[in-house]
Amino acid sequence: MLGRSKKNSLFEKGLLVLSVSFGIAVISVIMNGKTLMPVNTGILPSAIIPALALTVSLVFVLKARKHGRKGLMKSWIIMGSSTDGLREATKLLVSFLKRRSLGTRNAFYLLHVIRNGEEHVQLCAPGNTGSLIEEFLSSLKPEIEYKPGKPADCPGEKDAARANIHGDVATREAVDAGEHNAELAGKDSVLIGCTYEGSPVYIAKKDFFRHVGVFGSTGSGKTTTCSIIASRLAGIGVRVVVLDWHGEYPGLLPPMVTNVLRPVSMQMSINPFAIGDRESLVDILVDVFDLTLPQASLLSRVLRENEDLPTLQKLLEATMNNEDNGGWNREIKLAIARRMEPLLSREGTVLFSIKNSFALPEKGSVLVIDLSDISSNRLRKLYSLMYLRLIYAEAIKKSPLETVVIIDEAHNILPKTEVNFIAKMLAEVRKMMLGLVISTQSPSSINPEYLKNLNTKIVHRVVNGADKRVLVESLGGPGKLSSLLSSLRVGDAIISLPDSPKPQLVKITSVCGGQG
Ligand SMILES: Nc1ncnc2c1ncn2[C@@H]1O[C@H](COP(=O)(O)OP(=O)(O)O)[C@@H](O)[C@H]1O
Ligand SMILES: [Mg+2]
């Protein structure tokens, strides 16, 4: 908004300079037949000075026009006697704007504003539609009141083009969705944000157990969205585990409900052999350490032949001591040793020892696993996947688990190849009540089989073409969604809910018009 006022004042200055210089030029020519300035008129004919002044002012004005368009937008602040009244009026207003095609031919913009603790809606619309809109607004009386707002608060030309798209996605559909969604308020849902009309938007608790995808380029708001989800879920009694790749969540979550696990500095070793089920163990090692097929089959063989191996390091040792040196086996063993070397580093031995400190958080609390505490990216990934595998084993034992695992920067963690337990986790866990929130800037690098199982999608601004294509397809939305995705503001997202037919535009926030 500050940027806008600056652009407007630039425009005003341009106009002022233009009129003053034009005035001076005219007066000087009338009075003296030449300019007032002490210029050698022999070199510069008198007409050149006003012409120069005019050109400079024109450049100023054109520059200002390019960046903003004061005078084209008018604004009204609309106040309702109650939140319901205001919402009702907003709906009428939106359908009026749509009926008059003001939403598609001309940009209009609805902003939800809170002033002095009161909810208002601010409408920005093209100035030439002003009398039509005022007529409509006065016809709504006495339900609502309105007064002229400051045009300086209206979006600029670039924003207005976007507001137009907002108009299409976020108006009728969003108001409807906000309405039927509002009944979710309460213990079995979390508030995720509000529509541009001010309606709260909820995600039902059960939908988290059908998995959620959070997408968007770096800086678009994914981590903030996930942290809101985490604290809201804890608030309704769900256990939450966050795999925090960059160590950002401790600063974003309420300390009262948050425990932070720093695997290396707190020596929180986990032991993948603590559970009898060996399924997926080799698949995970293959993915994390980029093992080849022969390397994988040797590891599998050693694992089969040594059922009582206590740790990953002992698995490596048993592989090296395998007596079969025929064929390429010697080279294969050496290659495995080279690739899996991080397991034998100090970090490796602290993270994966015989001690198993794995534990789930209490109901209604968040356990943040601060992966930035681990310096090796491969070990970060291995720790995360082994932790997930232990959670899955727990879910099989203790279903329903009522646990949601948030995987931030999931492209760094989820295996490229299909690993059995993750595919099962995504396909089967509904009854176990184990939900995944998969957050990534790069959905195109996530296995499409995994993406298919994410039933709720929260899509922030996306700029990369390949990622946009994947997302537009998975949202099943119209082609224009693509341009909307690249123009979303930080914290705004298109949300597609499993039971809602159309995606809607939502401002992600932990408080929506007083509904906290
Ligand atoms: N919903 C929001 N409301 C206000 N600010 C936000 C919102 N989402 C993100 N931001 C701000 O934008 C910046 C980047 O957000 P972040 O969540 O870290 O993005 P990402 O995880 O996609 O890189 C942060 O400074 C954050 O405070
Ligand atoms: Mg992030």
Side-chain angles (χ1 to χ4, degrees):
M1 292 297 152
L2 271 180
R4 291 272 329 132
S5 323
K6 228 164 129 187
K7 281 164 202 161
N8 282 329
S9 68
L10 191 67
F11 184 91
E12 274 157 17
K13 265 189 220 150
L15 273 184
L16 194 69
V17 173
L18 178 76
S19 23
V20 168
S21 55
F22 192 70
I24 292 173
V26 169
I27 292 167
S28 83
V29 170
I30 292 172
M31 293 187 57
N32 310 320
K34 52 181 163 184
T35 71
L36 290 177
M37 294 174 198
V39 181
N40 183 346
T41 49
I43 302 166
L44 279 177
S46 60
I48 281 194
I49 300 296
L52 266 178
L54 262 172
T55 316
V56 169
S57 328
L58 263 174
V59 167
F60 234 95
V61 170
L62 285 176
K63 216 174 145 194
R65 280 293 293 269
K66 198 174 160 205
H67 293 96
R69 47 196 297 185
K70 196 216 164 185
L72 288 183
M73 281 288 200
K74 269 187 97 163
S75 125
W76 298 265
I77 303 289
I78 303 153
M79 299 150 290
S81 45
S82 67
T83 309
D84 284 349
L86 187 66
R87 201 168 292 151
E88 187 58 28
T90 312
K91 262 174 71 180
L92 288 170
L93 187 57
V94 166
S95 64
F96 164 78
L97 293 165
K98 285 225 140 189
R99 218 168 43 240
R100 296 301 182 111
S101 301
L102 295 178
T104 43
R105 265 196 266 127
N106 299 296
F108 73 91
Y109 206 87
L110 283 168
L111 302 158
H112 179 233
V113 288
I114 300 177
R115 290 208 177 129
N116 306 326
E118 279 183 19
E119 276 190 82
H120 303 315
V121 167
Q122 179 168 356
L123 166 70
C124 292
N128 59 2
T129 62
S131 52
L132 199 62
I133 286 169
E134 292 210 3
E135 199 182 309
F136 175 76
L137 288 174
S138 48
S139 77
L140 286 176
K141 278 183 177 175
E143 285 92 324
I144 61 155
E145 284 178 79
Y146 71 93
K147 62 177 186 199
K150 283 195 211 121
D153 287 342
C154 285
E157 193 170 4
K158 253 171 85 191
D159 284 339
R162 186 171 62 196
N164 202 355
I165 316 173
H166 282 193
D168 288 346
V169 178
T171 50
R172 210 185 67 76
E173 293 91 323
V175 169
D176 289 352
E179 224 181 29
H180 81 70
N181 195 300
E183 74 218 22
L184 285 176
K187 221 170 149 21
D188 284 329
S189 68
V190 301
L191 177 80
I192 184 76
C194 48
T195 65
Y196 265 73
E197 287 73 34
S199 312
V201 177
Y202 298 89
I203 301 181
K205 182 166 92 179
K206 68 176 169 52
D207 287 341
F208 284 97
F209 303 123
R210 298 171 66 190
H211 314 301
V212 176
V214 180
F215 307 107
S217 307
T218 304
S220 61
K222 300 178 299 296
T223 297
T224 307
T225 299
C226 289
S227 67
I228 290 175
I229 288 175
S231 57
R232 289 275 171 180
L233 280 173
I236 56 167
V238 175
R239 300 171 217 271
V240 183
V241 177
V242 182
L243 294 173
D244 179 9
W245 189 266
H246 291 304
E248 295 166 290
Y249 285 75
L252 294 171
L253 293 171
M256 292 289 284
V257 294
T258 309
N259 283 306
V260 183
L261 186 158
R262 296 197 167 85
V264 179
S265 30
M266 292 161 75
Q267 308 219 337
M268 298 300 274
S269 158
I270 53 171
N271 188 352
F273 291 97
I275 50 173
D277 177 20
R278 306 260 154 124
E279 191 184 19
S280 302
L281 207 55
V282 174
D283 289 347
I284 294 176
L285 294 172
V286 165
D287 190 83
V288 170
F289 295 110
D290 282 330
L291 303 184
T292 62
L293 215 56
Q295 293 160 4
S297 64
L298 180 60
L299 266 191
S300 298
R301 206 172 89 202
V302 174
L303 204 56
R304 262 198 319 276
E305 289 168 359
N306 300 273
E307 280 183 359
D308 52 354
L309 284 171
T311 60
L312 286 177
Q313 287 80 8
K314 288 287 177 201
L315 167 66
L316 199 54
E317 198 181 306
T319 311
M320 292 311 106
N321 294 338
N322 184 285
E323 282 174 2
D324 181 0
N325 280 323
W328 295 99
N329 258 9
R330 223 182 85 81
E331 278 67 31
I332 294 172
K333 283 197 299 195
L334 288 175
I336 292 179
R338 243 190 345 265
R339 294 197 178 196
M340 293 178 58
E341 205 187 331
L343 272 180
L344 302 176
S345 67
R346 193 193 83 82
E347 255 188 6
T349 49
V350 167
L351 294 171
F352 305 100
S353 75
I354 191 125
K355 183 179 94 180
N356 191 34
S357 328
F358 167 81
L360 278 177
E362 295 289 315
K363 278 191 167 192
S365 73
V366 186
L367 173 66
V368 176
I369 302 182
D370 178 357
L371 297 165
S372 70
D373 192 47
I374 306 174
S375 62
S376 149
N377 279 357
R378 286 190 199 270
L379 292 182
R380 270 189 210 187
K381 177 170 175 171
L382 186 63
Y383 195 84
S384 308
L385 288 173
M386 291 303 184
Y387 213 97
L388 267 179
R389 183 173 158 274
L390 292 172
I391 294 177
Y392 179 58
E394 196 76 2
I396 295 174
K397 262 195 330 215
K398 290 194 191 149
S399 132
L401 202 64
E402 285 225 344
T403 300
V404 170
V405 184
I406 296 176
I407 311 180
D408 203 343
E409 304 285 340
H411 52 279
N412 290 332
I413 293 175
L414 290 181
K416 299 280 173 282
T417 50
E418 203 167 310
V419 170
N420 210 357
F421 92 93
I422 294 182
K424 274 192 182 165
M425 209 169 176
L426 283 161
E428 285 179 10
V429 288
R430 261 164 249 177
K431 53 183 181 298
M432 298 179 185
M433 290 196 158
L434 173 54
L436 296 184
V437 175
I438 290 179
S439 170
T440 178
Q441 74 208 43
S442 174
S444 59
S445 66
I446 300 270
N447 189 325
E449 282 305 306
Y450 298 160
L451 290 182
K452 230 170 53 189
N453 282 305
L454 308 176
N455 288 287
T456 297
K457 283 151 203 129
I458 303 175
V459 186
H460 288 282
R461 189 189 69 243
V462 182
V463 283
N464 179 289
D467 292 325
K468 241 187 324 195
R469 275 192 295 282
V470 169
L471 291 169
V472 169
E473 194 179 314
S474 82
L475 286 170
K480 70 179 169 200
L481 216 50
S482 182
S483 56
L484 175 58
L485 285 186
S486 33
S487 64
L488 289 173
R489 298 164 202 216
V490 171
D492 280 4
I494 302 288
I495 298 193
S496 139
L497 297 167
D499 301 324
S500 191
K502 280 184 185 152
Q504 54 182 321
L505 177 70
V506 178
K507 288 186 286 182
I508 307 293
T509 164
S510 55
V511 189
C512 180
Q515 312 212 20

